[in-house]
Amino acid sequence: MHVHRSAPDSAACAATITPRVRASWRRSARYGLTAEEMRPVFTGSVDTGSLLYECGSAVLRGLQATLANEPVSMMITDPEGLVLSRICEDGTINRSLDRVNLAPGFYFAEENAGTNGLGLALADRAPSLVRAEEHYCAGLRGYTCAAAPVLDPVSGGVAGSINLTTWSESASELLLALAQSAAGNTTALMLARGAGHSSHPMPRGEVFRVYADRMRAPDASVLTPGWRTAFAEARSAFRGGRAVAVVGEPGTGKTALASLARRELRRERVLNVRPPAPDDVEAWLELWTPELGKDSTCVIISGVDRLPAWVISELAARLAEVRVHDGMQPYVLTAESAEDMPEELRRLVDAVVEVPALRFRPDDVQPLAQHFARQRRRRDVGFTPQAARALESFDWPENVRQLRQVVREAASRTDLIDLNHLPPEVFTGPGRPLTRLESVERDEIVRCLAEPGTTVGEAARELGVSRATIYRKMAQYRITVPGRASRS
């Protein structure tokens, strides 16, 4: 195997590489790496008990049987680029990979090893093929690496990656397809072996238009106590012509808050754009970025912390060129936290407004619930005291988005929402994920206890178990049904 030591940005190579790889080279240089120096960091242990490791290993063992006589090393990494596992029966390539530290226990993200397959797949959150001379560091130019991110089936975030590495002179046409297939199969197996959660929708890059002349000014039912401070901060920043980022957990209402604050200041149309699927990035950018230059238009760019790295550079360049419209910036960014915002975009932000999670503002639950119920029913909807307590006591891991779904579903069936109109998860405290069988058992117990007037003893008789079993199961599943647990 021959390893070339020329600079990674040589003219011959630069003329043929893709914009993604070129952007990765620039990031590698910013990390302080050189063609001669990699910095793979070793950690003492890896997490071999995770669902990702379990499912990825099962998928790669099956793929290994297909590639039994091929010099292909198959790896699982975590989202930070830590190599968790390496499966390969070819001793020669294994020894070679050990020499460059592409082995379990080493971090191989871009900041550690420069442009490489798994690092690029994690940075851009997209399938990536990096051939010999496309590697930033010379020590990796004897290999071709194909990698694809593994998406968490529940959260939709990046759980890790699958990486396939072979010699640079080997055929690589099918390598990327195999990596994508293995990553997809790992996600599917994680869903099947998980807690029976429904799959999270994958990014599609939707663009939504909201017209100011069709919407009223925000009312008191929307501007709940926990929102008012954030709303006032956003409104003040917009009025001052500052570029604003609204941060908070998924489902807290970041986009809604930004839209409401803009709408109170002036009539304008608002576009909300969401992260695209990896294959749609270029079309996604071309679809909406021309709107930034139009008068009385605001673009809310959601989830910038989930954008591929090369897109972030392109987006930052475009945003840096836009001009203030009538004293207000024409864009707003959202992310989960200020720390998660990419540095290139964070430099463009003048003010960060944080929207607190719903669990930190229980006084907002009832006003929001009444607002969502009225939206669904087109009239006022009541809540029994027990239902109100159940809603206020729940942790709402998916925040306002989850509350809206729960209340709208309940309001579609009644004008007075009681315990039996709420889904089982509302009565369950935080804990480990449940298996499908446990979820069914939990749901049946809640269904019985939530019926008006039902006692624990009556629920036990209906289910054919003892009262002691019901109490034990309630403790096991952290079930709390207001007004029911203490009855005979």
Side-chain angles (χ1 to χ4, degrees), residues 421-472:
H421 300 117
L422 302 177
E425 64 261 26
V426 171
F427 306 101
T428 308
R432 66 173 178 81
L434 303 182
T435 65
R436 284 189 176 89
L437 184 59
E438 289 173 331
S439 295
V440 170
E441 185 176 57
R442 185 271 317 269
D443 291 357
E444 278 299 289
I445 293 171
V446 171
R447 180 187 63 79
C448 292
L449 291 174
E451 286 297 324
T454 301
T455 66
V456 171
E458 290 167 343
R461 285 191 292 275
E462 180 176 346
L463 295 172
V465 298
S466 67
R467 287 177 58 214
T469 297
I470 290 285
Y471 281 119
R472 179 169 56 81

Side-chain angles (χ1 to χ4, degrees), residues 92-277:
T92 303
I93 197 169
N94 277 338
R95 288 189 293 273
S96 178
L97 292 175
D98 284 341
R99 286 194 289 272
V100 295
N101 297 318
L102 184 46
F106 283 89
Y107 283 95
F108 230 76
E110 279 185 343
E111 60 194 86
N112 306 113
T115 303
N116 69 88
L118 74 88
L120 186 58
L122 292 172
D124 282 354
R125 306 175 191 230
S128 303
L129 179 68
V130 177
R131 297 180 176 88
E133 291 296 333
E134 294 177 327
H135 288 91
Y136 185 82
C137 295
L140 299 179
R141 293 182 200 158
Y143 312 102
T144 290
C145 302
V150 176
L151 301 183
D152 187 294
V154 177
S155 71
V158 175
S161 75
I162 296 295
N163 177 58
L164 306 183
T165 295
T166 188
W167 302 120
S168 60
E169 62 266 24
S170 300
S172 61
E173 287 75 15
L174 293 179
L175 205 63
L176 184 58
L178 289 172
Q180 289 180 263
S181 176
N185 290 339
T186 300
T187 294
L189 192 57
M190 288 173 69
L191 178 62
R193 293 187 180 181
H197 294 292
S198 59
S199 179
H200 188 279
M202 295 297 109
R204 294 183 295 172
E206 299 100 331
V207 177
F208 295 93
R209 291 192 177 190
V210 183
Y211 291 93
D213 56 359
R214 298 183 185 178
M215 306 184 75
R216 299 175 300 168
D219 57 39
S221 65
V222 178
L223 291 181
T224 50
W227 244 32
R228 287 188 185 124
T229 299
F231 180 85
E233 290 177 1
R235 182 180 54 193
S236 175
F238 292 144
R239 183 183 288 121
R242 286 174 283 175
V244 176
V246 183
V247 301
E249 293 180 7
T252 50
K254 301 183 290 292
T255 299
L257 181 135
S259 180
L260 287 169
R262 298 281 301 206
R263 198 162 72 236
E264 186 176 84
L265 292 173
R266 74 179 185 190
R267 291 166 62 88
E268 65 181 357
R269 65 173 184 154
V270 177
L271 305 185
N272 175 215
V273 297
R274 298 181 179 179

Side-chain angles (χ1 to χ4, degrees), residues 394-395 425-432 477-480:
F394 187 51
D395 203 40
E425 64 261 26
V426 171
F427 306 101
T428 308
R432 66 173 178 81
Y477 299 137
R478 292 181 166 87
I479 296 172
T480 302

